[in-house]
Amino acid sequence: MADSSFDVLVIGSGASGLAAAVSARRAGAQVALATKGALQSCNSAKAQGGIQAAFGDDDSPEQHAEDVWKSSHETADRGLVEILTGEAPSAIHWLEELGVEFTRENGGYRLARCGGASRKRLLQVGDRTGHAITTALRDSAESSDIQTYPKSPLADLARTENGWRARCGDHTIVATTVILAAGGRCFRVAEERGELSTNHPGATGEVTQIAVDLGAEVRDFDALQYHPNGGAWPENMQGYSIPETTRAYGAVLLNADGEEFTDSLGPRDAVSQAIVEEVEKGKGVETPDGRPAVYLDTTRISEADANVSLPYMLRRYRAGGIDPLRERLFTYPVLHYQNGGLVIDANAETTLEGLYACGEIAGGTHGRNRMMGNSLLECCVFGRRAGKAAAEKASS
Ligand SMILES: Cc1cc2nc3c(=O)[nH]c(=O)nc-3n(C[C@H](O)[C@H](O)[C@H](O)COP(=O)(O)OP(=O)(O)OC[C@H]3O[C@@H](n4cnc5c(N)ncnc54)[C@H](O)[C@@H]3O)c2cc1C
């Protein structure tokens, strides 16, 4: 016997789940959202650097798509990429309508260039972009009649005659369509490998397994991404992802001899690989507790840029006794992101009818190597699409 029945059930309360729930509700559906912990707990809220969208005079959605395609080493789904970049500007305006205030300068957005990008395209809210986006989306969800079920992890999902039955914690929820927005699995994999991860403890991947057991297809699932700049020292910053915007605003990677050994704004996989190889060649440095590292020379960032775009990073390091504007940081790659995931179509529907997926749990948009700033974008673009399509299917 079900507790309640809805048109659309969303699983997960990160940026993608919240965007999907808000969109489904706006499309007229009765919506439930069940999540593993508190509504606030997710990777999305930890995102610092920013979100990509082609707003520069020298930029276009086509150029953005080209950069994604190249960074993915031509492994992404081109159709999904064109949707991602084509709808990026309207996703930004949608977030603004919900209350997100992106950092501005000279009458426009403050845009930074991130790794793999040929143009300045990264919008920021200081260096707490994910926090600002999830707060606005959550406020919108909580001020509507979306029924939320915190501390209700999805443990079982089964088809019924008219849709789906889900066991979420102590609740049994019936819905015509279901949107999976439960994020990736890097926290669990890092634990299994005995490595550090940037991820939230909820990033354990069991929802993907539930979908796979039902017969959903996955792609690029083995492709996990290392963030090139994990914090390596001090101890309380180990596993912290030093925002890529440090490099956008002038920081460079240096080896033990103080030499630049790679293009600090190359694609993420290339930069991570270069750091690992430099250390293997014996040209790395050691942290005071004996961990491998190279230097990120953040002293090259101007105080003005740091104050506007990196205040949270500065605060965190200074609280640990290190001033990034006066001394170089120790850094080493750290497990960060699940590039692949459930196969979806343009409406974010998986290979199972009535079951949708958006955000990090889905694959295809980034191929085997994601660019920074395109994950928050994916959450908004495909979260909106999933919400609308799931609501329409439920009412048809
Ligand atoms: C430190 C850090 C910095 C980042 N910086 C950036 C950045 O600057 N720009 C960018 O674009 N991307 C960035 N990313 C990546 C990006 O934030 C995430 O990939 C993206 O936000 C994932 O959103 P999501 O909604 O798919 O998943 P999440 O935000 O991880 O949300 C998943 C939700 O599902 C819930 N959940 C998990 N399992 C279950 C279950 N069994 N049942 C119910 N609910 C479940 C979780 O509790 C959570 O609420 C960063 C990531 C990290 C970790």
Side-chain angles (χ1 to χ4, degrees), residues 11-17 34-39 41-51 152-154 181-184 198-200 202 204 206-207 241 336-337 358-361 370 372-377 379:
I11 303 295
S13 59
S16 65
T35 193
K36 188 188 276 186
L39 278 185
S41 67
C42 58
N43 271 343
S44 303
K46 288 163 69 90
Q48 302 167 72
I51 179 168
S152 302
L154 178 74
T198 59
N199 276 209
H200 183 272
T204 43
E206 66 278 7
V207 173
S241 65
H336 185 59
Y337 185 80
C358 52
E360 192 169 338
I361 198 171
R370 174 177 71 92
M372 181 215 171
N374 276 343
S375 178
L376 287 173
L377 179 60
C379 289

Side-chain angles (χ1 to χ4, degrees), residues 15 51 95 100 102 128-138 376 380:
I51 179 168
L95 290 171
V100 179
F102 291 100
R128 300 203 69 199
T129 311
H131 180 261
I133 289 175
T134 49
T135 301
L137 287 168
R138 206 169 45 248
L376 287 173
C380 297

